[in-house]
Amino acid sequence: SAVISQKPSRDICQRGTSLTIQCQVDSQVTMMFWYRQQPGQSLTLIATANQGSEATYESGFVIDKFPISRPNLTFSTLTVSNMSPEDSSIYLCSVEVGTYEQYFGPGTRLTVT
Amino acid sequence: SQKIEQNSEALNIQEGKTATLTCNYTNYSPAYLQWYRQDPGRGPVFLLLIRENEKEKRKERLKVTFDTTLKQSLFHITASQPADSATYLCALALPGGSYIPTFGRGTSLIVHP
């Protein structure tokens, strides 16, 4: 298993600003994932972050809007840039442990006004 | 397009009964299927994984079945308890590549005492 923490747990931001979300894991992992979960919707994968390489973004998500850092095997950040109300969502990081089991952080609830 | 369907209506049952949740999918030939539990304000928690060549998997009061002909998985909780009340998500991963799962929207389960 893995214990994952995220900061901040929630934030209210003004449109046009940026927010950086931190994800910390209690063990070294190869792959970290960033998801978005809008109210009543399923989890949508934003990108996969491997240490030492550029993040891989899913269709509909671009690096300029969601830059990701992965400086080591236990930490990653996701920045939501130039925010608009449509970015209001819960952002979750996760890691894969064992065979295909994903462990999630508690999420960051973002509200953009 | 690929689609994962879970009942959007909440399932209400009495304590002690068996809860059965359904996950249907189209245009997939998944390598495996997973079930997660998500409580309000929390990240999803991994429960069970079943592979394409398995028909059934059990863990304590949980049972998952996987019918690749019907393209359906059933998730059962026997002797349900109010503490089982949560949203349950199914997730599928395709063979090849990174096996990163795609999530359904989830079904809310409410167990009444």
Side-chain angles (χ1 to χ4, degrees):
Chain A
S1 66
V3 177
I4 303 169
S5 59
Q6 284 185 236
K7 289 182 183 180
S9 58
R10 59 178 61 225
D11 208 340
I12 300 173
C13 301
Q14 291 194 336
R15 69 171 67 209
T17 62
S18 298
L19 176 71
T20 295
I21 302 168
Q22 299 179 7
C23 179
Q24 179 77 50
V25 188
D26 68 341
S27 57
Q28 294 185 338
V29 293
T30 302
M31 295 173 75
M32 295 180 76
F33 307 93
W34 287 98
Y35 286 86
R36 182 171 73 182
Q37 186 175 32
Q38 295 178 313
Q41 302 297 313
S42 62
L43 280 76
T44 301
L45 182 65
I46 297 171
T48 302
N50 289 339
Q51 193 268 336
S53 63
E54 293 289 325
T56 302
Y57 289 83
E58 297 299 303
S59 176
F61 297 95
V62 296
I63 188 170
D64 290 345
K65 175 68 175 177
F66 298 100
I68 288 171
S69 78
R70 182 80 201 274
N72 58 51
L73 291 173
T74 64
F75 187 79
S76 179
T77 67
L78 169 76
T79 299
V80 186
S81 303
N82 189 24
M83 289 184 283
S84 67
E86 291 71 35
D87 295 319
S88 297
S89 186
I90 298 172
Y91 292 84
L92 296 140
C93 72
S94 74
V95 301
E96 186 177 271
V97 176
T99 308
Y100 310 137
E101 298 177 20
Q102 291 222 355
Y103 288 81
F104 285 84
T108 296
R109 183 180 294 271
L110 171 62
T111 302
V112 183
T113 60
Chain B
S1 62
Q2 300 159 340
K3 201 171 178 182
I4 302 171
E5 294 179 342
Q6 293 187 259
N7 197 338
S8 58
E9 288 188 21
L11 176 64
N12 287 272
I13 64 168
Q14 285 298 124
E15 182 176 8
K17 301 292 186 183
T18 296
T20 299
L21 304 175
T22 304
C23 177
N24 294 301
Y25 58 92
T26 59
N27 298 328
Y28 270 102
S29 293
Y32 67 82
L33 184 147
Q34 297 176 322
W35 285 88
Y36 289 79
R37 169 183 173 142
Q38 187 172 24
D39 292 281
R42 309 287 292 272
V45 174
F46 172 80
L47 296 175
L48 280 168
L49 178 150
I50 187 165
R51 298 179 188 277
E52 59 181 333
N53 60 349
E54 298 176 314
K55 296 292 186 185
E56 182 178 298
K57 188 73 81 69
R58 293 176 184 259
K59 180 182 176 182
E60 298 172 352
R61 295 185 295 113
L62 309 180
K63 184 177 85 171
V64 172
T65 63
F66 195 8
D67 189 327
T68 55
T69 301
L70 292 179
K71 296 187 181 295
Q72 180 181 80
S73 174
L74 299 179
F75 176 78
H76 306 271
I77 305 175
T78 59
S80 59
Q81 305 163 2
D84 295 325
S85 299
T87 296
Y88 291 86
L89 311 173
C90 79
L92 304 178
L94 298 175
S98 59
Y99 289 89
I100 300 171
T102 299
F103 287 82
R105 292 187 180 187
T107 297
S108 175
L109 171 66
I110 303 169
V111 182
H112 299 276

